[in-house]
Amino acid sequence: MSKHAAGIAGMGVFVPEKILTNADLEKMVDTSDEWIRVRTGIIERRIVEGDTATSDLAAEAAKNAIKDAGIKPEDIDLILVATSTPDMIFPSTACLVQSKLGIDGCAAFDLQAACTGFVYGMTVAAQFIETGMYETVLLIGADAFTRHINWEDRDTCILFGDGAGAVVLKRVEAGYGLISSYLAADGRGADLLKIPAGGSANPGSEETVRDKLHYVQMNGNAVFKFAVRILHEAAIGALANAGMLVEEIDYLVPHQANIRIIDSAAARLGIDKKKIIVNLERYGNTSTASIPLALNDLYLSGKLKQGDNLMLVGFGAGLTWGANIIKWY
Ligand code: ACO
């Protein structure tokens, strides 16, 4: 076992003020509150306005996490931002967050694993602490997907919301903190969920704008089937790596994409529904922010106690999937 383990020393979130309800969407596309509730579980979501970018959401969540951890921004050795909706292609959103926190010098980079970004990020961030290279890492999951939504496409515009969640990771006693991770990807499914233009394969042009290629495109049905199967696989993978049984998990914090995905996977896993943290009715699918937003709800509930085992499970574009098991310190 590694000498150092990485544990959560503080947490913070931030969501934009503006609420978009299902009733608002009824006025924009041919949909209904009932359809959205029944098919997804979502009731409302937060959306960015004006010139608010992903780095703004990320920096506010980071400030809250820094305060909660009782550290100073100067104590941070590394800023790692998991996002698929960076402010721009480069520089990294992590560098922009660093500047917004009023610090310089520490390492900063972005990680892209779509909605699995926070789980990938947790795994990567923990390595720096486990090896002894860094003492304090700021991990942020932040996305502003509504910036890339075609508001005329009812298949996708009802699903997404914006937000950010951050954790401060520090050394904890071995045996606590992150005890197991499982990460996976299958690039053969890359076409199922993507933003086709704006990158080097298809740079922005009059044609890409005309053809609406800067918006999220998704094969919802295929992603749904993938998600149900893979949420189960990721959970089993992390349990196997930890040598644990599903009964030993006290709380499951899944990516908040769709209540039907969570319910089916939970039934397959055989985990008590009372252990599952769900808040997608308020925020929709906030991509990398969804797991830390749900984790923060659990944290604020005051239920968490030392020794509790939490499982975070993510899945998303790439395709990517993964899970972390954390023993609460
Ligand atoms: N309102 C009303 N009707 C709609 C809407 C809407 N907003 N959207 C689709 N429909 C219609 C369809 O056109 C279709 O009509 P038809 O039968 O006449 O063709 C009908 O509803 C059923 O459509 P399905 O796509 O079969 O509906 P489904 O039950 O699969 O639900 C949904 C669609 C909610 C998108 C579901 O497939 C889903 O949640 N998929 C996973 C999406 C997801 O989680 N993506 C994010 C992954 S994470 C990341 O990396 C970003």
Side-chain angles (χ1 to χ4, degrees), residues 2-10 71 77 125-137 168-178 329:
S2 160
K3 263 202 315 198
H4 309 288
I8 295 175
I71 62 162
D77 299 311
Q127 313 275 323
F128 287 100
I129 293 174
E130 287 164 10
T131 57
M133 182 165 171
Y134 292 140
E135 272 183 38
T136 308
V137 178
V168 172
L169 297 171
K170 285 185 81 68
R171 284 182 193 169
V172 293
E173 204 179 299
Y176 285 93
L178 183 67
Y329 190 66

Side-chain angles (χ1 to χ4, degrees), residues 75-299:
D75 298 332
I76 295 165
D77 299 311
L78 164 68
I79 300 172
L80 177 50
V81 176
T83 185
S84 313
T85 53
D87 286 27
M88 49 193 127
I89 289 182
F90 73 86
S92 70
T93 302
C95 286
L96 303 175
V97 169
Q98 185 194 46
S99 156
K100 284 175 182 170
L101 293 178
I103 51 175
D104 58 71
C106 71
F109 67 93
D110 287 1
L111 179 155
Q112 212 267 60
C115 301
T116 322
F118 195 78
V119 170
Y120 267 69
M122 181 67 76
T123 313
V124 171
Q127 313 275 323
F128 287 100
I129 293 174
E130 287 164 10
T131 57
M133 182 165 171
Y134 292 140
E135 272 183 38
T136 308
V137 178
L138 174 65
L139 168 66
I140 309 168
D143 267 307
F145 255 77
T146 69
R147 289 291 204 205
H148 303 280
I149 289 298
N150 176 359
W151 293 105
E152 293 170 357
D153 175 14
R154 70 177 183 173
D155 291 345
T156 52
C157 76
I158 57 144
L159 297 174
F160 296 97
D162 304 325
V167 291
V168 172
L169 297 171
K170 285 185 81 68
R171 284 182 193 169
V172 293
E173 204 179 299
Y176 285 93
L178 183 67
I179 55 174
S180 159
S181 286
Y182 175 88
L183 302 179
D186 184 356
R188 291 171 302 177
D191 275 340
L192 295 178
L193 182 51
K194 62 182 178 182
I195 297 176
S200 57
N202 211 359
S205 66
E206 276 181 38
E207 287 71 33
T208 60
V209 172
R210 184 198 61 210
D211 297 340
K212 301 189 190 320
L213 299 179
H214 297 273
Y215 294 129
V216 171
Q217 292 182 356
M218 182 181 68
N219 178 336
N221 226 268
V223 173
F224 188 92
K225 286 182 192 141
F226 150 77
V228 172
R229 179 172 56 83
I230 233 60
L231 207 159
H232 178 261
E233 187 185 307
I236 296 294
L239 286 169
N241 287 345
M244 286 171 71
L245 299 171
V246 72
E247 292 75 27
E248 294 173 75
I249 297 298
D250 297 291
Y251 298 102
L252 172 66
V253 186
H255 171 44
Q256 309 281 311
N258 184 316
I259 192 66
R260 290 186 297 139
I261 294 174
I262 294 173
D263 284 349
S264 325
R268 248 172 110 171
L269 261 179
I271 189 162
D272 185 347
K273 271 180 94 167
K274 289 203 283 287
K275 293 181 172 179
I276 305 174
I277 311 301
V278 176
N279 66 5
L280 60 83
E281 68 282 357
R282 281 181 284 141
Y283 300 123
N285 179 348
T286 55
S287 194
T288 49
S290 94
I291 289 176
L293 279 174
L295 183 59
N296 191 62
D297 275 2
L298 172 63
Y299 182 54

